[in-house]
Amino acid sequence: MKWTKFYLPDAYSPTMEQLVYFHDHTMSIITSITILICILLNSLLWNKLIDLNMNEHQMIETWWTILPTIVLFLIATPSLKILYSMEELINPTISIKSMGHQWYWSYEYSDKFCKELESYMKYNKKNDFRLLEVDNKMKAPFLTQIRMIFSSSDVLHSWTIPCLGIKMDAVPGRINQSSLMIKKPG
């Protein structure tokens, strides 16, 4: 993935695939509405015909109230489906606890074996992504249902992996959880 790309990152999880499909679905609806409005505005600007009988048509007013409602339902239905599926935990095989600290993250694998590691940011090098490269990367198995548990020890933190479609906030004194399944290694 390059920084100059103007599209969503490649999907590495089922959640991100659904988000990309929803984005494409919504953009096709928005594009068709925009084209229709441009055509109507163009015909309105260049048309010199005036029909005084059009002022009292309740049928047209009814339809331009009903059609946007239908369009909103076409957008809201897949959106709610994705939102509920993102919050669903499906029998996780492994749990990873992620704790946000002032300048680093700590990870704890505690299901089958107890392993803890701390992840600090690296200093800038030419080939590293600024503020994204760390010394100890969190490792997670692919094609396995994973439960991520987030919390913080001091201040609010945000934990995100865009290609997996996951973003959670780590709040002090509160535990947030999310599930993820990685479809490709890397």
Side-chain angles (χ1 to χ4, degrees):
M1 188 170 106
K2 304 234 188 304
W3 289 103
T4 57
K5 212 172 169 186
F6 288 112
Y7 193 64
L8 297 172
D10 295 335
Y12 283 84
S13 71
T15 303
M16 190 61 187
E17 286 176 355
Q18 290 178 355
L19 288 172
V20 169
Y21 294 146
F22 174 69
H23 171 266
D24 295 342
H25 169 73
T26 307
M27 287 306 293
S28 66
I29 291 173
I30 290 172
T31 304
S32 62
I33 290 172
T34 304
I35 291 171
L36 177 69
I37 295 298
C38 288
I39 290 171
L40 290 176
L41 281 174
N42 190 24
S43 69
L44 182 67
L45 287 175
W46 300 109
N47 190 359
K48 301 294 184 203
L49 301 174
I50 297 173
D51 187 6
L52 295 177
N53 293 328
M54 288 292 284
N55 291 336
E56 295 297 325
H57 279 275
Q58 281 83 22
M59 186 58 78
I60 292 176
E61 291 177 1
T62 304
W63 279 107
W64 73 40
T65 305
I66 291 174
L67 284 177
T69 306
I70 293 171
V71 169
L72 286 176
F73 275 116
L74 286 175
I75 293 174
T77 304
S79 172
L80 290 174
K81 180 185 167 198
I82 293 171
L83 280 174
Y84 282 117
S85 71
M86 287 173 70
E87 292 295 323
E88 188 176 334
L89 281 174
I90 307 168
N91 196 14
T93 307
I94 187 170
S95 295
I96 301 173
K97 181 180 172 187
S98 178
M99 187 72 116
H101 301 280
Q102 187 71 32
W103 295 104
Y104 64 97
W105 286 88
S106 62
Y107 300 102
E108 179 181 325
Y109 303 84
S110 60
D111 280 341
K112 297 183 171 107
F113 54 91
C114 190
K115 181 179 179 185
E116 294 183 21
L117 62 103
E118 294 177 346
S119 181
Y120 290 91
M121 281 190 302
K122 283 184 179 179
Y123 290 109
N124 290 343
K125 292 183 182 175
K126 279 190 174 184
N127 297 331
D128 290 346
F129 287 120
R130 185 175 181 269
L131 299 177
L132 291 178
E133 293 294 326
V134 293
D135 56 356
N136 289 326
K137 295 181 181 179
M138 182 194 84
K139 293 172 180 63
F142 71 101
L143 297 178
T144 304
Q145 196 68 34
I146 303 167
R147 173 182 35 214
M148 293 291 300
I149 300 171
F150 303 97
S151 188
S152 173
S153 64
D154 44 21
V155 295
L156 293 174
H157 296 279
S158 183
W159 193 91
T160 182
I161 301 178
C163 62
L164 293 179
I166 183 172
K167 180 184 182 304
M168 289 298 289
D169 292 328
V171 181
R174 182 176 170 193
I175 294 177
N176 289 336
Q177 70 177 356
S178 180
S179 69
L180 64 102
M181 186 175 89
I182 305 169
K183 289 181 77 173
K184 300 175 187 175

